Amino acid sequence: FYALKKPVLTTFPIMSSRIAMTAGSQVNCEPLLITHFYCKGMDLQGSLPQAITDYLQPYFRPGDLQFLQSEFDFATHAKIDMHREKIVPLSHMVIFISMHSDGECGDLFAGQEGLETEPRPIAVSVDQFFSLLFQSRMDRFLDGATLVLLTCGWLVKHQGSFDELHSSLRCLQVLNCVAFAAHCFQSTLSTSFLQALIFNTFIEGTTLPSSIPFSLENSFQMGQHTDMLLFSLTKAPSPLSHGNFTCNKFIWWSKQTRPYRTSLPLSCPVCRALWCWDWLVWSGSVGEGLWSVACENPQCSLDGKGVQFAQCSALSRVQPEGSCFITAKKKRPSGWMAVTLLDEEIM
């Protein structure tokens, strides 16, 4: 810089940090409705949807961010009618659903019956659950909405319930649906992930699928608890073209405890020693190819007299077919990979 043809500074300034530019940033200002449906009997202490709403509130003008929390109980038709009257749609919708799922078949809990002192849960099939929750004129609210299922992974573990979820989402035209795979899912552990995902999508204006890698990298310890599934609908741009419906499973990996999504056993199956595994050996480049690991207990496979009675325990696996790494893996102890479960064209 010069003033009166003379330099303002006699020496070059010392820059102690990088200059941050905001020219490429943006804030979406369209109204958003966050709805939380929860099954009767669920514990709402530390409500995850409420916490995310509170986090997003400063980015919206007064009245543009609304939060609705509604209990559902489909034990009687009267309760179903009361539930239907509570929905008020806005420009964008994020719908959280908190319920239990049946471990034997993946059916979803829809309410309670019997005496208040001794309530009995009611479980219904997945397609029946969605037809009850979003029946009549309510189904139009889901067109283009984002759905987050806060339930245990039995829903997506059993093929029958997975197929019914798939068909229900296609029928309801849900744009994106997030589900979790942990058998005893704890929603609190997904807070960081969902907070980053919803912020990137509805504040910064990116698409939800493209926000997944960043959100998973910032999901704190969610990967040690659960894998995640994303169902996505891409509508046809014209009547003569095809849309697309996909389901991708995102899997947490660790080089020492869960290589290529395979969790190492707590104990050696031969000598029963705890936490006995040696460092993994990779046959390909770091983080790729075949991995193998052996028990480091020197007494493994030996009897009381020091005579070998079995082969020393060792495990090996290869990278799952069709999987790809979606977060940085070089010089990283852990990260995320993705496997496509569904990829189909739709009219």
Side-chain angles (χ1 to χ4, degrees), residues 3-319:
L4 301 177
K5 298 183 179 181
K6 293 183 179 180
V8 175
L9 302 176
T10 57
T11 60
F12 289 103
I14 298 175
M15 308 301 292
S16 59
S17 63
R18 298 181 63 182
I19 300 176
M21 303 296 291
T22 60
S25 64
Q26 60 179 338
V27 175
N28 183 32
C29 59
E30 295 183 6
L32 174 65
L33 170 64
I34 296 180
T35 303
H36 182 206
F37 294 122
Y38 63 95
C39 183
K40 184 176 182 179
M42 297 289 294
D43 184 6
L44 294 184
Q45 185 175 2
S47 170
L48 171 58
Q50 179 68 71
I52 291 178
T53 303
D54 294 341
Y55 173 76
L56 297 178
Q57 189 67 65
Y59 296 93
F60 288 87
R61 293 173 297 186
D64 281 355
L65 175 62
Q66 296 187 24
F67 177 67
L68 170 66
Q69 190 158 257
S70 176
E71 179 185 77
F72 62 84
D73 184 359
F74 302 142
T76 66
H77 289 290
K79 293 180 179 180
I80 295 174
D81 293 336
M82 290 173 58
H83 160 76
R84 182 170 57 241
E85 296 172 356
K86 297 179 181 180
I87 303 299
V88 180
L90 285 182
S91 299
H92 296 289
M93 291 186 66
V94 180
I95 301 174
F96 292 87
I97 306 178
S98 297
M99 66 284 188
H100 296 295
S101 56
D102 191 303
E104 295 184 358
C105 60
D107 286 353
L108 298 176
F109 286 24
Q112 295 178 342
E113 62 180 0
L115 301 176
E116 291 188 5
T117 55
E118 297 181 359
R120 298 188 304 273
I122 300 173
V124 298
S125 63
V126 177
D127 54 357
Q128 185 180 2
F129 175 88
F130 281 103
S131 66
L132 288 172
L133 187 63
F134 301 112
Q135 67 165 318
S136 186
R137 297 178 300 276
M138 290 175 57
D139 55 359
R140 72 182 187 275
F141 301 155
L142 284 179
D143 191 347
T146 296
L147 190 62
V148 181
L149 303 178
L150 301 178
T151 188
C152 296
W154 303 113
L155 170 64
V156 294
K157 175 180 175 60
H158 296 286
Q159 189 63 47
S161 56
F162 178 89
D163 291 341
E164 289 187 8
L165 175 62
H166 164 215
S167 61
S168 296
L169 294 175
R170 282 192 53 175
C171 179
L172 294 169
Q173 296 288 290
V174 173
L175 191 63
N176 296 290
C177 176
V178 175
F180 299 94
H183 292 169
C184 298
F185 175 64
Q186 302 294 318
S187 62
T188 304
L189 297 176
S190 66
T191 301
S192 297
F193 163 71
L194 290 173
Q195 183 173 285
L197 184 66
I198 294 175
F199 180 89
N200 282 1
T201 304
F202 296 100
I203 302 300
E204 295 192 346
T206 61
T207 64
L208 189 142
S210 66
S211 301
I212 290 292
F214 172 82
S215 302
L216 289 175
E217 276 197 308
N218 292 274
S219 61
F220 193 47
Q221 296 180 345
M222 186 185 80
Q224 299 182 44
H225 172 58
T226 182
D227 295 331
M228 188 273 293
L229 283 79
L230 175 66
F231 298 84
S232 293
L233 171 67
T234 303
K235 295 184 178 181
S238 69
L240 299 178
S241 58
H242 295 279
N244 193 248
F245 187 88
T246 61
C247 176
N248 292 300
K249 185 175 184 179
F250 298 90
I251 303 161
W252 182 78
W253 58 268
S254 168
K255 289 183 179 179
Q256 291 305 316
T257 61
R258 204 187 189 209
Y260 291 154
R261 76 179 182 181
T262 302
S263 297
L264 297 181
L266 181 63
S267 63
C268 173
V270 175
C271 65
R272 305 301 180 186
L274 296 176
W275 299 107
C276 58
W277 303 109
D278 204 349
W279 290 95
L280 269 74
V281 177
W282 303 88
S283 62
S285 58
V286 176
E288 297 178 351
L290 173 73
W291 64 264
S292 60
V293 63
C295 177
E296 64 177 355
N297 178 15
Q299 302 300 317
C300 184
S301 75
L302 302 180
D303 61 16
K305 298 180 180 180
V307 179
Q308 185 173 7
F309 68 91
Q311 186 176 359
C312 185
S313 180
L315 300 173
S316 64
R317 295 288 189 278
V318 295
Q319 181 175 343

